[in-house]
Amino acid sequence: MNNSIEMHLVTHYRSLLFTQDYCGQSTFGFECNDGWANLIEATLRLTQQHAELKALDVKVTQAKEKFGQLRIYHRGGDESIGAAFEIAESVSGSVCEMCGMPGGAICIDGWLQARCGHHSGPHQIARDENLKSDENYIASYVEAVNLILSFFGEGAVLWVQQERTAFAGRRPCGMLATEEGCQTIFTFLNRLEHGVGV
């Protein structure tokens, strides 16, 4: 991951990534490309908020690409935090690891990779050096996943992975790859929560 992106994450989520004796000089070592940076930040923000609210000690021990998906390993927390990391894993398969655009899992040179159409060829592996943090997406993702976790509890991970007739057969995990999809899910669940017909 790009050093400036990693330093941004380390600065904002230091308590999740390092022990209390962190000196400010270390890097965490995210083992993935920059396209997942917004998804990682959204997941860390959600985790940090939940940990602070519930007074939980959570430490992320590793974040890497494996079989075309993001894996975030951690210790501590509760079922909601575990589910948040599993949801991020499911969503990552619909986000290009190179640029952050919507994509899907494909096989490149025998390896599963999450790629968009532009980065799907075996020789189209150039990283996008101009990626920027997308605060609108991050905030929408946090809002939507918070509501999913609240609404479905232990069934949250399964709910995002299955096709939903309410979304024309789309899987929520794919929809959570975009700001628009996050907002659609949030609006739908918010209306259900308040008893408004959909």
Side-chain angles (χ1 to χ4, degrees):
M1 181 175 279
N2 179 301
N3 284 343
S4 64
I5 293 174
E6 177 153 343
M7 287 310 300
H8 169 80
L9 294 172
V10 165
T11 300
H12 288 84
Y13 306 99
R14 178 175 57 224
S15 64
L16 292 176
L17 301 174
F18 296 101
T19 58
Q20 290 181 345
D21 59 356
Y22 168 71
C23 66
Q25 302 297 323
S26 304
T27 58
F28 180 75
F30 291 93
E31 300 172 54
C32 62
N33 286 308
D34 302 343
W36 286 342
N38 287 319
L39 177 59
I40 291 171
E41 180 163 8
T43 304
L44 293 178
R45 184 178 298 177
L46 180 66
T47 302
Q48 184 170 275
Q49 289 173 358
H50 185 76
E52 288 173 357
L53 183 67
K54 302 283 187 176
L56 298 170
D57 182 28
V58 182
K59 288 291 179 278
V60 173
T61 57
Q62 188 178 33
K64 66 179 187 176
E65 180 276 333
K66 185 174 181 180
F67 301 123
Q69 291 185 314
L70 173 66
R71 300 288 202 273
I72 300 177
Y73 301 97
H74 72 287
R75 65 176 188 272
D78 61 10
E79 287 182 6
S80 291
I81 286 175
F85 289 136
E86 285 188 62
I87 289 170
E89 179 180 319
S90 294
V91 173
S92 68
S94 299
V95 177
C96 179
E97 188 187 354
M98 304 306 288
C99 68
M101 296 299 290
I106 61 169
C107 188
I108 299 177
D109 295 332
W111 298 95
L112 277 177
Q113 304 288 314
R115 295 289 190 264
C116 65
H118 179 72
H119 291 107
S120 61
H123 303 294
Q124 294 171 315
I125 57 171
R127 291 165 41 155
D128 187 340
E129 299 297 331
N130 299 316
L131 288 177
K132 294 185 175 141
S133 181
D134 184 346
E135 180 57 35
N136 291 334
Y137 169 74
I138 293 166
S140 294
Y141 181 93
V142 169
E143 192 175 56
V145 175
N146 250 329
L147 194 52
I148 291 167
L149 293 170
S150 170
F151 206 86
F152 295 104
E154 293 178 5
V157 175
L158 185 61
W159 186 81
V160 302
Q161 292 174 338
Q162 294 182 338
E163 294 176 357
R164 299 289 160 196
T165 54
F167 305 127
R170 292 181 294 169
R171 290 181 173 87
C173 60
M175 296 172 65
L176 287 167
T178 67
E179 180 186 348
E180 180 184 20
C182 291
Q183 291 172 349
T184 299
I185 290 170
F186 178 82
T187 300
F188 173 76
L189 293 180
N190 194 46
R191 293 180 73 183
L192 280 182
E193 186 176 46
H194 293 93
V196 178
V198 291

